[in-house]
Amino acid sequence: MADGKWKESLLKSSLPLEHAVAELLAKNDWHVWGQYSYSRKNENGLGTDFSADIHASREYNEEGQCFGNLDVLIECKYASPGVKWVFLPYPETAQLFSGMLKVFEQGSNKRITNHKPVNSAEDGVEYCIRGISLHDSGFDENSINRGAYQLRYAMPRIAERVFSTDASDMHDEDIGVSFACAVLVTTAPLYCLKPGVTLDDVFAANSLDDVVEPAERLILWEEASPDLEEYTRTIYQEVLENGLEERIREYQRAFRPSANLKHPPNQGQGWWAMREAGSHVLVTTLKGLGDVLSTLDAAAREAMLGVEKIAEVRFDPEKGKVVISSLAKSGDGASEV
């Protein structure tokens, strides 16, 4: 291989970037699991294996009791020097629901009662709906789109794993609340078009800096496409049939309203959580990734302080069954699954 050519090829593979990200995660006490593989149909309708570059997680436990965990799926995109990622800000014409830090608690016997930390994790982060990779000879949006879509289709699989585990756990201490976030990491600097920029402004601009402003991180938002929604619906239906539907039904029977939790769980909550799992992709530079991870961790930890149980789950060895009961002192409302 010609001198110097190997370096450019290696960098463009994103392998060194993935290595740097994995090293950063490990240094900050995250469990790094490597690639996150999943299956879906390709453009020809054939079942195909895909993967996100890195899956990392951390658990939140206290005295043997599981309160929850946080998963991050990370896709890495190296950009050559001089390349800039430019994004179109979201026009604030409608209210957006959900957020970049997803909560998968719909199959659990625990709920977070303080959503402020989850919502505030994205304070000051610009919402965008499209991005391009801009360079001197042109532009490309496929690189950003490919990275985002790898994550959008992978995130429902994270929800699937959480729901499947929640539906089969037999002991209260093993059940928690799960958080997850999709993160796209790049070496390119990030920019958003300035508010109010017109075509005339672009024609009159002497440099890119005249029409854009830098961003440390941003959220690339997109509502589920018909294909992604159908893909997600199929996954959720399978999870329901494999135990989640029955577990939610038992929680409904055992549920007693409290000061913080007024309404019983239902299947629609789980479907919405899975449908929205891939709607938000947090885009950050490698330099900003450390702060992103700290923000996500702090938000999850604080939200965990407000976890409240909606039912008791225990395994009865004599009956050989899981018994789910209400939190009433009388113990009424017990049921078996």
Side-chain angles (χ1 to χ4, degrees), residues 101-143:
L101 184 55
K102 305 300 181 182
V103 182
F104 301 132
E105 59 182 2
Q106 296 75 19
S108 169
N109 73 327
K110 300 178 178 69
R111 296 289 187 275
I112 61 170
T113 59
N114 179 15
H115 286 82
K116 185 177 179 180
V118 176
N119 297 331
S120 63
E122 59 185 53
D123 284 352
V125 183
E126 184 90 58
Y127 267 69
C128 297
I129 54 176
R130 185 187 171 206
I132 62 169
S133 178
L134 185 66
H135 48 85
D136 289 340
S137 58
F139 75 93
D140 170 45
E141 61 182 328
N142 291 328
S143 178

Side-chain angles (χ1 to χ4, degrees), residues 122-295:
E122 59 185 53
D123 284 352
V125 183
E126 184 90 58
Y127 267 69
C128 297
I129 54 176
R130 185 187 171 206
I132 62 169
S133 178
L134 185 66
H135 48 85
D136 289 340
S137 58
F139 75 93
D140 170 45
E141 61 182 328
N142 291 328
S143 178
I144 296 175
N145 282 343
R146 281 196 297 267
Y149 271 88
Q150 290 285 58
L151 295 167
R152 295 194 196 284
Y153 278 85
M155 284 291 284
R157 294 296 184 180
I158 291 286
E160 175 191 31
R161 177 179 57 80
V162 171
F163 290 157
S164 297
T165 300
D166 288 342
S168 59
D169 274 333
M170 298 186 291
H171 304 286
D172 187 273
E173 61 270 19
D174 295 331
I175 305 174
V177 173
S178 293
F179 298 84
C181 186
V183 183
L184 180 60
V185 179
T186 181
T187 55
L190 307 178
Y191 297 90
C192 292
L193 287 173
K194 291 180 178 179
V197 165
T198 67
L199 289 175
D200 288 339
D201 293 331
V202 177
F203 280 120
N206 294 316
S207 72
L208 180 65
D209 292 338
D210 293 336
V211 294
V212 300
E213 51 192 11
E216 293 183 2
R217 67 197 69 152
L218 56 88
I219 295 170
L220 189 57
W221 178 84
E222 183 176 305
E223 189 170 4
S225 66
D227 180 70
L228 179 54
E229 183 159 347
E230 180 61 28
Y231 161 83
T232 304
R233 191 183 302 277
T234 300
I235 295 172
Y236 190 60
Q237 187 59 42
E238 291 175 354
V239 174
L240 286 176
E241 294 172 356
N242 290 329
L244 182 62
E245 182 175 13
E246 179 63 20
R247 183 61 66 99
I248 291 177
R249 187 179 299 121
E250 297 304 323
Y251 286 149
Q252 290 173 335
R253 292 171 182 169
F255 180 79
R256 299 290 184 270
S258 70
N260 296 313
L261 300 171
K262 305 295 185 182
H263 305 289
N266 62 71
Q267 293 181 22
Q269 294 168 346
W271 158 240
W272 180 257
M274 186 175 279
R275 181 186 183 275
E276 292 295 301
S279 58
H280 298 63
V281 173
L282 178 60
V283 184
T284 181
T285 61
L286 175 61
K287 182 179 179 181
L289 179 59
D291 287 341
V292 165
L293 295 173
S294 296
T295 297

